[in-house]
Amino acid sequence: MTSSPSSVSVPRLVIAAPSSGSGKTTVATGLMAALTARGLVVSPHKVGPDYIDPGYHALATGRVGRNLDAYLCGPELVGPLFAHGARGCDLAVVEGVMGMYDGAAGEGELASTAHVAKLLRAPVVLVVDASSQSRSVAALVHGFASWDPEVRVGGVILNKVASDRHEELLREALESAGVPVLGVLRRVAQVDTPSRHLGLVPVAERQSAAVEAVAAMAAQVERGCDLEGLLSLARGAGALSCAAWDAAESLASSPPPPLPVPSLGAAAPEPPLRPGRPRPQTPDGLKDKDPDGAEDKAPGRRPEVRIAVAGGPAFTFSYAEHAELLTAAGAEVVTFDPLHDEQLPDGTRGLVIGGGFPEVYAAELSANEPLRKAVAALAETSAPVAAECAGLLYLCRELDGLPMCGVLDADARMSERLTLGYRDAVAVSDSVLAVAGTRMRGHEFHRTVVEPGAGMVAAWGVRAPERRLEGFVQESVHASYLHTHWASEPGVALRFVERCRTS
């Protein structure tokens, strides 16, 4: 549903870098925490599909970390989703992805940090790893600042600076680049956060250590950055003409008729643009509240149906908008922890199992036999089950030889090969999530293999980058490696809730 555009004037910054590993997360998270400590209400955002960094952002700000992905959701939803998350905030900080101009492979600038910065009309702060250079930093910064005249690089933060003399050389060189230095960070080991096969270890797996890491990032940014200069730059962001996305309103818009199912060799038709506008709702413990105090409950709406959503350390990957859409569609969303809870929440009518790291917790998940049996029993009743990536592994017979739920006739194992990238997909069969022909864009990110890779009835026909069938539709179960963002197709949530209600 589209309403008349409004003007979004929240001050905002995009934290970018020439490449991955330059220090974006340290600077962005530290800046969020430092400004929050000053009493500002900071809205945290992350460019791209990543689930892990937003967990650190939430820890730094006390607010839900939200993603801005122009590939998964379309460029037309970046502004509305940003406005949804930033409503009522004093400032928004957006952490970029990869190198500033790196986006979806083969798609030009699409979904890059630069692209999102332009969509948000936001100034960019470039974080540069200066550890192995001095005068060359000026050429590097000049190149990034001048490559696209629509991207406004308003300052640079120098990271991993070795000494006072090194800082002096860097500042002297940058005087000719015309980009002000807004911060200098020295090498400090305690801001390092542990990583493993899929990047940083999520906050949920290291709560106390994560709190210490965020505090160290904040202290380093406070010590080394010109916070007033950064705030002044943020206040110079141009007004953004869009209405905030709203879960209920996006569901109220009439869904388009399903697209015909194309063969995998044919060109997929372009889906209609469907910008919506959700109002914030509040996951437990985080402060995303409607400033008007209005509840997102439509008059005369039917009783809620209870949907259990997997959480805890093994299942940390979820976009906040999914729970908001389920709630707006009439669900009571209840979180459970498959590592510790031996039963599903009472009255569960549907189950959502998102991404995470079941391979790390395979022994503990396998040992929780009562819950595995409860999940299998729920699926046998034809209650809707939606599983993405980690959820797919959990529904298999085995994961690395350890028994899982046995809902799917498939086995999973770890692999040395990293599968990573955006996917263009079409639903090849009707399911609890979508009718055949529904086109969605997704993202894969795993080091596991499921055999077979698709069931007798597949979930998706992946069209790009390679053509293949993927995932499983089995009775009321939809399981796939693809991470999708339901804001791009709100009817997914509505269909799932209705199936839960009628199953």
Side-chain angles (χ1 to χ4, degrees):
M1 180 174 180
T2 304
S3 299
S4 57
S6 58
S7 180
V8 178
S9 57
V10 60
R12 54 199 179 273
L13 290 173
V14 172
I15 307 299
S19 65
S20 296
S22 298
K24 291 190 302 292
T25 300
T26 295
V27 170
T29 307
L31 181 60
M32 293 172 189
L35 294 176
T36 299
R38 289 192 169 195
L40 296 175
V41 181
V42 180
S43 180
H45 303 265
K46 170 68 180 180
V47 177
D50 177 66
Y51 294 96
I52 299 176
D53 290 345
Y56 286 87
H57 298 169
L59 196 60
T61 64
R63 295 181 61 85
V64 178
R66 296 182 182 270
N67 295 72
L68 301 171
D69 195 310
Y71 185 91
L72 293 184
C73 296
E76 71 279 0
L77 274 184
V78 168
L81 286 171
F82 169 83
H84 167 52
R87 188 195 298 269
C89 293
D90 300 314
L91 175 83
V93 176
V94 181
E95 180 184 345
V97 62
M98 300 185 293
M100 186 165 77
Y101 293 107
D102 301 326
E107 299 281 354
E109 73 171 5
L110 178 64
S112 67
T113 303
H115 185 207
V116 170
K118 291 196 288 186
L119 291 170
L120 296 180
R121 302 188 67 196
V124 173
V125 176
L126 193 68
V127 180
V128 176
D129 179 351
S131 59
S132 300
Q133 57 185 316
S134 57
R135 188 167 180 265
S136 296
V137 73
L140 176 69
V141 171
H142 174 74
F144 272 83
S146 61
W147 177 264
D148 184 343
E150 293 183 41
V151 177
R152 177 190 170 200
V153 178
V156 60
I157 292 176
L158 301 169
N159 192 26
K160 300 181 183 178
V161 175
S163 64
D164 290 345
R165 177 56 178 161
H166 188 200
E167 177 181 343
E168 181 183 337
L169 292 171
L170 294 167
R171 286 184 178 274
E172 181 181 279
L174 283 167
E175 287 179 2
S176 62
V179 180
V181 176
L182 295 177
V184 176
L185 305 184
R186 300 296 173 87
R187 298 172 188 167
V188 181
Q190 63 261 36
V191 301
D192 293 339
T193 52
S195 300
R196 59 171 177 236
H197 60 286
L198 293 182
L200 295 179
V201 177
V203 165
E205 298 185 43
R206 52 186 303 268
Q207 282 287 353
S208 60
V211 169
E212 293 174 2
V214 170
M217 294 177 201
Q220 192 178 15
V221 168
E222 179 81 38
R223 201 165 47 239
C225 292
D226 177 4
L227 295 185
E228 291 304 321
L230 289 165
L231 285 170
S232 177
L233 181 63
R235 293 184 184 113
L240 191 61
S241 295
C242 69
W245 182 90
D246 182 274
E249 291 183 9
S250 68
L251 292 174
S253 62
S254 299
L259 301 174
V261 182
S263 69
L264 288 180
E270 289 296 322
L273 299 182
R274 298 183 54 202
R277 332 183 301 136
R279 182 167 64 230
Q281 296 178 8
T282 311
D284 290 344
L286 295 177
K287 302 177 293 187
D288 257 10
K289 295 186 178 178
D290 187 334
D292 300 323
E295 293 185 1
D296 196 8
K297 304 260 186 187
R301 110 187 211 177
R302 289 181 288 172
E304 293 178 334
V305 58
R306 176 168 284 195
I307 294 177
V309 176
F315 296 97
T316 57
F317 293 4
S318 178
Y319 296 126
E321 290 81 6
H322 289 198
E324 293 170 353
L325 283 164
L326 289 171
T327 300
E332 176 194 6
V333 177
V334 181
T335 302
F336 71 102
D337 184 350
L339 290 179
H340 304 294
D341 295 330
E342 294 189 345
Q343 296 296 324
L344 293 168
D346 290 342
T348 293
R349 299 286 296 276
L351 178 60
V352 176
I353 315 174
F357 292 97
E359 63 271 28
V360 176
Y361 295 97
E364 293 94 327
L365 290 170
S366 184
N368 191 350
E369 185 178 4
L371 184 65
R372 290 193 289 108
K373 289 183 175 180
V375 170
L378 183 75
E380 287 176 3
T381 68
S382 296
V385 178
E388 287 186 349
C389 199
L392 165 65
L393 306 183
Y394 188 53
L395 295 183
C396 287
R397 285 185 299 249
E398 294 183 345
L399 172 55
D400 283 339
L402 295 170
M404 291 291 126
C405 295
V407 173
L408 302 174
D409 294 326
D411 298 307
R413 58 178 172 81
M414 287 290 292
S415 169
E416 294 183 0
R417 178 175 177 266
L418 174 63
T419 300
L420 171 67
Y422 287 120
R423 306 289 185 255
D424 186 3
V426 177
V428 295
S429 56
D430 288 348
S431 73
V432 295
L433 290 184
V435 295
T438 300
R439 179 181 174 186
M440 291 192 75
R441 286 179 159 180
H443 186 263
E444 278 191 270
F445 186 39
H446 57 90
R447 286 188 186 271
T448 58
V449 173
V450 170
E451 296 172 336
M456 293 293 292
V457 180
W460 302 108
V462 178
R463 308 190 49 79
E466 72 283 339
R467 294 190 295 272
R468 59 188 168 90
L469 294 173
E470 194 276 337
F472 301 76
V473 171
Q474 183 174 303
E475 299 294 335
S476 61
V477 175
H478 184 287
S480 165
Y481 265 125
L482 264 63
H483 295 290
T484 58
H485 200 303
W486 293 358
S488 69
E489 186 58 55
V492 166
L494 187 60
R495 181 179 178 86
F496 188 77
V497 172
E498 289 303 309
R499 289 299 180 93
C500 291
R501 195 185 300 280
T502 58
S503 64

